[in-house]
């Protein structure tokens, strides 16, 4: 049986970078939109359409460019999420930020499949592992960067879509993982310091490992 893997990126340049590194079948890449809402809706639509057509996916990977916490990952490097956290989904309070679970409204963490993560780590041995934060507003000040680093000491990177893709995958009962290549360090916003070309090239270089890291897991599952 042919196993299909969905790689969901935010924008088409990321999708094109992944496709450029793919030499075999079984992996489909789609740009599903920027931000957690668009990512969840776009991924859910693709999963439902495939299921209805009798060609379901076997695993879902959120992939694309992100920013790294200084000292935790390097520009041009890779980060594999140990969990995808909706870091700004909750409420402010005089005592500090209250995440979704403390409000009693659900789980702010998108769960990464342990076996899928293990397969990807084996295929991408240079990747840093840690939490990847999903934010609707990209960090652009030192104050926010330090606050996030304190709240999430295991965080290696931030992006805008992982939790949304994880939500769609979880509701479909599919294993999920997240890969980020790093274009910049998190802190005061300095667009001139971003290295998008290096991050996109890293996506292309990592693409063959996505096949070996995800297809082996999905093929082994019933």
């Amino acid at each position: 049986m042919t196993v299909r893997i969905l790689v969901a990126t935010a924008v088409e340049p990321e999708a094109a970078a992944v496709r450029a590194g793919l030499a075999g079948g079984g992996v489909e890449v789609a740009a599903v939109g920027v931000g957690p809402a668009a990512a969840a809706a776009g991924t859910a639509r693709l999963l439902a359409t495939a299921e209805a057509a009798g060609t379901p996916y076997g695993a879902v990977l959120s992939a694309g460019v992100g920013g790294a916490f200084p000292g935790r990952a390097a520009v041009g490097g890779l980060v594999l999420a140990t969990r995808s956290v909706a870091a700004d989904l909750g409420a402010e309070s005089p005592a500090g930020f209250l995440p979704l679970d403390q409000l009693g409204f659900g789980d702010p963490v998108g769960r990464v499949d342990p076996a899928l993560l293990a397969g990807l780590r084996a295929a991408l041995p240079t990747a840093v592992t840690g939490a990847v934060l999903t934010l609707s507003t990209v960090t652009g000040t030192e104050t926010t960067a330090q606050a996030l680093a304190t709240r999430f000491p295991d965080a290696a990177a931030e992006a805008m879509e992982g939790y949304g893709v994880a939500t769609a995958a979880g509701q479909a009962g599919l294993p999920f993982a997240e890969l980020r290549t790093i274009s910049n360090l998190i802190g005061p916003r300095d667009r001139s310091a971003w290295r998008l070309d290096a991050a996109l090239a890293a996506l292309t270089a990592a693409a063959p490992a996505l096949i070996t890291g995800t297809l082996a897991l999905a093929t082994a599952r019933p």
Side-chain angles (χ1 to χ4, degrees):
M1 181 181 70
T2 300
V3 177
R4 301 172 68 216
I5 308 301
L6 175 62
V7 177
T9 71
V11 295
E12 185 55 35
E14 293 170 320
V18 176
R19 292 189 197 104
L22 295 176
V27 177
E28 297 189 18
V29 189
V32 295
V34 175
T43 302
R45 178 182 62 82
L46 291 171
L47 296 179
T49 300
E51 182 74 25
T55 55
Y57 291 102
V60 183
L61 182 71
S62 176
V65 172
F69 285 89
R72 302 182 184 177
V75 172
L78 307 177
V79 173
L80 286 168
T82 53
R83 57 188 189 132
S84 298
V85 185
D88 58 3
L89 187 58
E92 292 184 330
S93 80
F97 185 81
L98 300 175
L100 198 64
D101 52 348
Q102 289 188 24
L103 298 172
F105 295 147
D107 191 348
V109 177
R111 306 295 172 182
V112 171
D113 184 271
L116 180 53
L117 175 59
L120 290 169
R121 289 185 69 178
L124 296 167
T126 64
V128 172
T129 56
V132 176
L133 308 185
T134 299
L135 297 163
S136 295
T137 301
V138 172
T139 301
T141 69
E142 187 62 32
T143 299
T144 301
Q146 291 182 356
L148 289 171
T150 299
R151 283 177 54 209
F152 302 102
D154 64 329
E158 72 169 28
M160 302 181 76
E161 293 79 31
Y163 179 78
V165 177
T167 298
Q171 292 187 0
L174 294 175
F176 162 81
E178 181 174 4
L179 168 71
R180 292 290 159 186
T181 60
I182 303 305
S183 64
N184 60 283
L185 299 180
I186 297 167
R189 183 174 175 81
D190 179 8
R191 186 66 175 77
S192 66
W194 291 12
R195 299 293 179 260
L196 285 173
D197 287 348
L200 292 173
L203 273 179
T204 299
L210 303 185
I211 297 177
T212 58
T214 58
L215 285 182
L217 166 69
T219 303
R221 295 196 168 192

